Amino acid sequence: MVTEDRPVPPVPADFTFAALSPATFLDRAAYAFADRIAIIDGNRRFTYSDFHRRVARLTSVLEGLGIGPGDRVAALCTNSHVMLELHNAVPAHGSVLVPLNIRLSEVELVYIIEHSGATLLVATAEFAERAHVVGAATGVRVVVAASEPSDEYEQLLRGASEPVYREPDERGLLAVNYTSGTTGRPKGVMYHHRGAYLQALAMAYHAGLGTGSRYLWTLPMFHCDGWCFTWAVTAAGGTHVCLRSIDTAQVWRHFFADGITHFSAAPTVLTMIAEDPAAAALDHSVHAGTGGAPPSPALLERMAGLGIEITHLYGMTETFGPIVVNQWQPDWDVGSAADRAVRTARQGIGNIAAGHVRVVAPEGVDVPADGETQGELVVRGNNVMLGYYRDADATTAATIDGWLRTGDLAVMHPDGYVEIRDRSKDVIISGGENIASVEVERVLDGHPGVVESAVVGRADERWGEIPVAYVTVRGGAQVEADDLIAFARERLARFKVPREIVFADLPKTSTGKIKKHALRRGE
Amino acid sequence: MVTEDRPVPPVPADFTFAALSPATFLDRAAYAFADRIAIIDGNRRFTYSDFHRRVARLTSVLEGLGIGPGDRVAALCTNSHVMLELHNAVPAHGSVLVPLNIRLSEVELVYIIEHSGATLLVATAEFAERAHVVGAATGVRVVVAASEPSDEYEQLLRGASEPVYREPDERGLLAVNYTSGTTGRPKGVMYHHRGAYLQALAMAYHAGLGTGSRYLWTLPMFHCDGWCFTWAVTAAGGTHVCLRSIDTAQVWRHFFADGITHFSAAPTVLTMIAEDPAAAALDHSVHAGTGGAPPSPALLERMAGLGIEITHLYGMTETFGPIVVNQWQPDWDVGSAADRAVRTARQGIGNIAAGHVRVVAPEGVDVPADGETQGELVVRGNNVMLGYYRDADATTAATIDGWLRTGDLAVMHPDGYVEIRDRSKDVIISGGENIASVEVERVLDGHPGVVESAVVGRADERWGEIPVAYVTVRGGAQVEADDLIAFARERLARFKVPREIVFADLPKTSTGKIKKHALRRGE
């Protein structure tokens, strides 16, 4: 590496202050780990020096495309070097990243582009066609990265001039991450630089990432910016190993061929990995973070047999990913496998950079730490979102007395560890994806033959939960289940479409609310 | 643990912001690790619950003694539960800690008490007498902690009422750490909450501290607040094992009996530990951070044979301890022992929370990263002091273009790692302590028989360096070396007193400056 390639950060006036921004980790890595492999993406390999140089050029490209400070840049990208480059260039440039869930329908993508006001959409090759459709519908400028010499993204990088870096306001807007949440329309969760910086440090700490770490990207980078591992791996000087789609045979090839040390995945994905024919005991220790549902004792045992050590985590888009970690205590090693599984099923304690986490009764006081009394988990601190983008009402509704309501029912154990007892009643978690039942109901209710509907999750071995719709049909209307499913499929991401339609009168409370608990129990 | 004992942090208005303060780690630990052993100090053991309860009471004691926000609280304490309690109670209470070097003379202590304006001095039993002398000289209120039921510290804690917590300004004053520095009089290095918080996270990360860690306090806690390990160990939920004085036989007893996993020490102390008759190969891996001088290949090999893995670090009081770490890269393992020693001798890269570190020529431009061209190491960022207390001129003199000058000459290697080539010429480092030659010279020059003096360090196997004074005597004066040493001993800490006096004419440059380099070379 030649000295000229070194990043030259802007020199601020104050020697005792630097804005906390996750993009600064790449500046450090480009100095300290210049020749180490930063990214493996298929046949392409980038050193930290390459990575930094490309990011510097990308800031110039953004500026050249007319993106100004605070402007939104949407990304419809698979786990790739492109997505990692955007995660560093956009914050360094002072614009705002909008990572898009690649599984959303075109209608949903259009909604988010319009709601966020994004003026640029960068897509990887897999989604070129959909990006152009969205572009045509919204007028957003589309750039496609095909990772080939002829693609526009690479052409723009090659034509870049001087990098454009802006010192951020650390509490300013870093990204808007859209989530299904619980109330239908996707909501834009506003991330700030400070929160992402601290969360990245916390993830690097808890996962024990170091220069020798190789992180396999099974977790989508568009999910909470990959729980901030997009920056944490860089902070540690480790290697990002991109997985462009979940292919469990491929996962095993990476485990062995690339010496993977870390990855993150929902328990459903862990099960798929364990069930793959290529599954075999690893020759080195691998650490996996899991969340969305507690890993079962059987799964833990199976993973341990393969050499994969599991840490249970809890978080939501609003908390930059895992704000709660099941930090293991050495005394717990001595228990039986069953004891350990009971311990592991608990979500845990606030992470090292998190604020206090509490479980509160409706009136706002802490429930007793007895492991039995349920309350709502509430959180606060630096790794909590600024609020919902352009939705002050939703922000207000999500908070109580200076705390963020998670909507999840939990108990506090006597030792201070939190355990979620019930997912917020309106959210279905299928294959690690949140499905807002209200959103699906709204679509079904839009069908001319439907009176009303209620969508609940049903336990499923593979997906954790699948959405099932209970539907009341208008008198005289001829509606078939297949019609309704096709109707939903045109309007929703595939994973949100009900797997089953049950025609029924809906059970209601005396005040007219649908008794979803009864539906879930199959009553 | 009962729920009532839980800390109740103040509820701020903003759910997405918490001031970064190192005292908050204890709040988290008191929830998450309530029943784990936080501190072992002789026969006393405190759980995190105990620790937090005592700290809460201590905030009340401070308030009761009339200490207000921003008031200075000096600590003349050995490594002890008392010092750890002060490190948490004082910041939580909103006052400012002034940790005193226990090796200073009474005259020096009086100077610091007066310069800092401290109104309370807490001392452990070892220093009761000196504390009372200083109290008599300055009027500062003295509280002695004898760790016995009858001592005043414990009496005050028992009589405490409601805790007094104040939400800090994260960039506000946390502590004033006095250093000899290079210009004689001790200077008060102003620490801020944010810097200590981030440095503690960085230390927890780099040392790999976890709930199973047991940190042996060989490093004095008064040194840069123990490089912020006073807070880092708590952040990790590990155990502080106090060592009230450096007794290498005791170190080995702790290694084996308490399962020590981590400690920090200057190479001179490492050598003493390795040379102790009790030294024997450990049954578990121990990680030691070392700084002040590069560890020699012989020392590294010896420590490795005992099971002690060494990380080389660099920092100064102005940087909250180690701002530069020799972060090891896995490829380096394959080299020969000699290659590894050459790598380890380098100080390294900015730590994970540090800003950029540079090596600059006098005109302020970076020297080439060729491993040969020397320049001055300059640093900036969140783990750099606010400045010198009540000494704006010294602050200005220590900075250049928004960077802090370390005063140390270094080279930048092609891979981005820094290596110190020469300690700032005026500082002698003896047994890990900085001695400002100017300060010693000022004392010697005060002797009626002395014309002028120059104090330099001489290499010493045990202490790293020892101070040697070159003295020019007035014509006709009868001055013996022993007289001068006795004269110095009355006015300086023992470690600063010259070990040898050489009577000579001092070599000078054409502009009249003493050629200290020549003296160091023995010319």
Side-chain angles (χ1 to χ4, degrees):
Chain A
M1 195 195 60
V2 293
T3 307
E4 287 64 34
D5 278 340
R6 286 265 170 76
V8 181
V11 177
D14 186 350
F15 63 86
T16 178
F17 177 83
L20 301 179
S21 173
T24 59
F25 292 124
L26 181 56
D27 291 332
R28 173 174 177 271
Y31 267 86
F33 313 119
D35 296 332
R36 294 192 65 76
I37 299 297
I39 305 173
I40 297 175
D41 183 356
N43 293 324
R44 302 191 75 176
R45 278 170 157 66
F46 303 90
T47 64
Y48 272 106
S49 184
D50 298 332
F51 186 13
H52 190 278
R53 196 182 307 110
R54 289 172 61 87
V55 164
R57 288 192 184 145
L58 187 50
T59 63
S60 162
V61 168
L62 293 171
E63 193 75 4
L65 290 172
I67 307 299
D71 287 354
R72 273 76 63 214
V73 176
L76 186 63
C77 295
T78 190
N79 289 347
S80 58
H81 68 90
V82 179
M83 192 61 155
L84 290 168
E85 285 155 9
L86 287 166
H87 269 79
N88 288 279
V90 172
H93 170 261
S95 35
V96 175
L97 189 65
V98 182
L100 300 170
N101 185 330
I102 57 176
R103 300 176 202 167
L104 294 183
S105 70
E106 280 157 11
V107 174
E108 291 164 317
L109 292 173
V110 165
Y111 171 80
I112 293 174
I113 294 293
E114 288 179 341
H115 186 268
S116 69
T119 50
L120 175 64
L121 171 60
V122 180
T124 48
E126 297 86 344
F127 314 113
E129 202 178 326
R130 289 166 67 202
H132 286 302
V133 172
V134 171
T138 60
V140 69
R141 168 82 156 91
V142 174
V143 170
V144 174
S147 300
E148 280 160 20
S150 64
D151 75 9
E152 189 183 4
Y153 181 80
E154 293 295 331
Q155 280 168 19
L156 286 167
L157 285 188
R158 274 195 298 278
S161 54
E162 283 300 293
V164 179
Y165 295 127
R166 291 185 179 88
E167 174 88 351
D169 166 7
E170 71 181 38
R171 301 208 56 219
L173 198 55
L174 166 80
V176 185
N177 288 277
Y178 280 82
T179 171
S180 307
T182 58
T183 59
R185 282 294 202 183
K187 283 183 295 196
V189 174
M190 295 192 288
Y191 278 23
H192 45 106
H193 291 254
R194 175 180 168 106
Y197 176 95
L198 291 168
Q199 178 73 0
L201 273 187
M203 292 300 99
Y205 169 76
H206 285 288
L209 296 176
T211 49
S213 298
R214 297 191 147 217
Y215 184 88
L216 182 65
W217 274 103
T218 43
L219 180 75
M221 293 182 189
F222 64 74
H223 256 322
C224 316
D225 301 295
W227 299 356
C228 297
F229 277 94
T230 44
W231 300 296
V233 174
T234 300
T239 301
H240 298 268
V241 181
C242 298
L243 194 67
R244 287 197 166 225
S245 61
I246 289 280
D247 170 342
T248 51
Q250 192 68 21
V251 166
W252 282 101
R253 273 194 293 277
H254 282 296
F255 279 172
F256 283 104
D258 292 322
I260 297 304
T261 58
H262 293 77
F263 69 106
S264 316
T268 49
V269 175
L270 293 179
T271 301
M272 286 162 58
I273 291 171
E275 279 174 8
D276 188 272
L282 288 158
D283 52 356
H284 62 283
S285 164
V286 174
H287 176 268
T290 196
S296 69
L299 179 62
L300 288 171
E301 202 169 322
R302 198 157 178 186
M303 298 312 272
L306 294 167
I308 301 173
E309 176 204 350
I310 304 289
T311 298
H312 189 193
L313 308 159
Y314 165 86
M316 52 202 295
T317 304
E318 287 81 349
T319 63
F320 295 74
I323 191 169
V324 169
V325 299
N326 187 312
Q327 195 166 339
W328 198 252
Q329 300 190 13
D331 334 0
W332 300 350
D333 285 335
V334 298
S336 67
D339 285 347
R340 291 201 303 276
V342 168
R343 298 265 192 203
T344 306
R346 312 184 315 166
Q347 276 70 16
I349 55 179
N351 77 36
I352 197 167
H356 186 40
V357 302
R358 294 168 63 210
V359 178
V360 298
E363 56 279 19
V365 299
D366 288 70
V367 301
D370 57 10
E372 288 184 10
T373 312
Q374 293 193 17
E376 184 174 0
L377 180 64
V378 299
V379 297
R380 67 172 316 284
N382 291 303
N383 44 5
V384 172
M385 66 166 182
L386 292 171
Y388 295 111
Y389 194 57
R390 295 178 170 168
D391 198 345
D393 288 350
T395 304
T396 304
T399 55
I400 176 170
D401 299 340
W403 294 77
L404 178 77
R405 302 176 58 164
T406 64
D408 287 319
L409 295 179
V411 298
M412 177 67 79
H413 284 280
D415 65 356
Y417 278 54
V418 164
E419 184 172 0
I420 307 287
R421 277 294 159 87
D422 212 0
R423 285 279 156 190
S424 159
K425 65 183 180 306
D426 293 333
V427 179
I428 300 156
I429 303 185
S430 185
E433 292 285 347
N434 279 12
I435 302 172
S437 59
V438 179
E439 184 187 14
V440 184
E441 288 155 14
R442 188 189 291 164
V443 166
L444 296 176
D445 293 354
H447 187 281
V450 170
V451 175
E452 63 182 355
S453 64
V455 176
V456 297
R458 176 186 294 167
D460 181 86
E461 206 172 294
R462 171 153 189 175
W463 298 105
E465 284 184 321
I466 51 168
V468 173
Y470 289 77
V471 175
T472 308
V473 179
R474 273 174 222 295
Q478 279 293 357
V479 186
E480 297 294 324
D482 286 352
D483 300 340
L484 273 181
I485 287 172
F487 183 81
R489 214 169 254 172
E490 286 166 28
R491 290 160 179 83
L492 290 168
R494 219 177 166 80
F495 69 90
K496 296 180 186 171
V497 173
R499 301 299 183 86
E500 191 180 331
I501 307 282
V502 180
F503 294 102
D505 286 328
L506 305 182
K508 299 202 183 146
T509 68
S510 58
T511 60
K513 285 186 190 161
I514 297 170
K515 289 186 190 166
K516 283 202 172 174
H517 274 100
L519 292 176
R520 264 183 225 112
R521 289 192 302 264
E523 290 170 17
Chain B
M1 194 195 58
V2 293
T3 308
E4 288 63 34
D5 277 340
R6 286 266 169 75
V8 181
V11 177
D14 188 349
F15 63 86
T16 178
F17 178 83
L20 301 179
S21 172
T24 59
F25 292 125
L26 181 57
D27 291 332
R28 174 174 178 271
Y31 266 85
F33 312 120
D35 296 332
R36 293 191 66 75
I37 300 297
I39 305 173
I40 298 175
D41 184 356
N43 293 326
R44 301 190 76 177
R45 277 168 157 66
F46 303 89
T47 64
Y48 272 106
S49 183
D50 298 333
F51 186 13
H52 189 278
R53 196 181 308 110
R54 289 173 61 87
V55 164
R57 289 193 183 143
L58 186 49
T59 63
S60 162
V61 168
L62 293 171
E63 193 75 6
L65 291 172
I67 307 298
D71 288 354
R72 273 76 63 215
V73 176
L76 186 63
C77 296
T78 190
N79 289 347
S80 57
H81 67 90
V82 179
M83 192 61 154
L84 291 168
E85 286 156 8
L86 287 166
H87 269 79
N88 287 279
V90 172
H93 169 261
S95 36
V96 175
L97 188 66
V98 182
L100 301 169
N101 185 329
I102 57 175
R103 300 177 203 166
L104 294 183
S105 70
E106 280 157 12
V107 174
E108 292 163 317
L109 292 173
V110 165
Y111 172 80
I112 292 174
I113 294 293
E114 287 178 344
H115 186 267
S116 68
T119 49
L120 175 65
L121 171 59
V122 179
T124 48
E126 297 86 343
F127 315 112
E129 201 177 328
R130 289 167 66 204
H132 286 303
V133 172
V134 170
T138 60
V140 69
R141 168 80 156 90
V142 174
V143 170
V144 174
S147 299
E148 281 160 20
S150 63
D151 75 9
E152 189 183 6
Y153 182 80
E154 293 295 332
Q155 279 169 17
L156 286 167
L157 284 188
R158 274 196 298 278
S161 53
E162 281 301 292
V164 179
Y165 295 127
R166 290 186 179 86
E167 174 87 351
D169 167 7
E170 71 182 37
R171 301 208 56 220
L173 198 54
L174 167 80
V176 186
N177 287 276
Y178 280 81
T179 171
S180 309
T182 57
T183 58
R185 281 296 202 182
K187 283 183 295 195
V189 174
M190 294 191 288
Y191 278 23
H192 46 105
H193 291 255
R194 175 181 168 105
Y197 176 95
L198 291 167
Q199 179 73 0
L201 272 187
M203 292 301 98
Y205 169 75
H206 285 288
L209 296 176
T211 48
S213 298
R214 297 191 147 216
Y215 184 88
L216 182 65
W217 274 103
T218 43
L219 180 75
M221 292 181 190
F222 64 74
H223 255 323
C224 316
D225 301 296
W227 299 355
C228 297
F229 277 93
T230 44
W231 300 297
V233 174
T234 299
T239 301
H240 298 268
V241 181
C242 297
L243 194 67
R244 289 199 165 223
S245 61
I246 289 281
D247 169 342
T248 51
Q250 192 67 20
V251 166
W252 281 101
R253 273 194 292 279
H254 282 296
F255 279 172
F256 283 104
D258 292 324
I260 297 304
T261 58
H262 293 78
F263 70 105
S264 315
T268 49
V269 175
L270 293 179
T271 301
M272 285 162 58
I273 290 171
E275 278 173 8
D276 189 273
L282 287 158
D283 52 355
H284 61 284
S285 165
V286 174
H287 176 270
T290 196
S296 70
L299 179 61
L300 287 171
E301 204 169 322
R302 197 156 179 188
M303 297 313 271
L306 294 167
I308 301 174
E309 176 204 351
I310 303 289
T311 297
H312 189 193
L313 309 158
Y314 165 86
M316 51 203 294
T317 304
E318 287 81 348
T319 63
F320 295 74
I323 191 170
V324 169
V325 298
N326 187 312
Q327 195 166 340
W328 197 252
Q329 300 191 13
D331 335 1
W332 300 349
D333 285 334
V334 299
S336 67
D339 284 347
R340 291 200 302 276
V342 167
R343 299 265 192 201
T344 305
R346 310 182 319 163
Q347 276 71 14
I349 55 178
N351 77 37
I352 197 167
H356 187 38
V357 302
R358 294 167 65 210
V359 178
V360 298
E363 56 280 19
V365 299
D366 289 71
V367 301
D370 57 11
E372 289 183 7
T373 312
Q374 293 192 17
E376 184 174 0
L377 181 64
V378 298
V379 297
R380 68 173 315 285
N382 291 305
N383 42 5
V384 172
M385 66 166 182
L386 292 170
Y388 295 111
Y389 193 58
R390 296 178 169 167
D391 197 345
D393 288 350
T395 304
T396 303
T399 57
I400 176 171
D401 300 337
W403 294 78
L404 178 77
R405 302 176 58 163
T406 63
D408 286 320
L409 295 179
V411 298
M412 177 66 79
H413 285 280
D415 65 356
Y417 279 54
V418 164
E419 184 172 0
I420 306 287
R421 279 293 160 86
D422 212 359
R423 285 281 157 189
S424 161
K425 63 183 182 305
D426 293 332
V427 178
I428 300 156
I429 304 185
S430 186
E433 292 285 348
N434 278 12
I435 303 172
S437 59
V438 179
E439 185 186 14
V440 183
E441 287 154 16
R442 187 187 291 163
V443 166
L444 296 177
D445 292 354
H447 187 282
V450 170
V451 175
E452 61 182 355
S453 64
V455 177
V456 297
R458 176 186 294 167
D460 181 86
E461 206 173 293
R462 172 154 187 175
W463 298 104
E465 284 184 320
I466 50 168
V468 173
Y470 289 78
V471 175
T472 309
V473 178
R474 275 174 220 294
Q478 278 293 359
V479 185
E480 297 294 324
D482 286 351
D483 300 341
L484 274 181
I485 287 173
F487 183 82
R489 213 169 255 174
E490 286 167 27
R491 290 161 179 81
L492 289 168
R494 218 175 169 81
F495 70 91
K496 296 180 187 171
V497 174
R499 300 300 182 87
E500 190 181 332
I501 307 281
V502 180
F503 294 101
D505 286 328
L506 305 182
K508 299 204 182 144
T509 67
S510 58
T511 59
K513 285 186 191 160
I514 297 169
K515 289 187 192 168
K516 284 203 173 175
H517 274 98
L519 292 176
R520 265 184 225 112
R521 289 193 302 265
E523 286 171 21

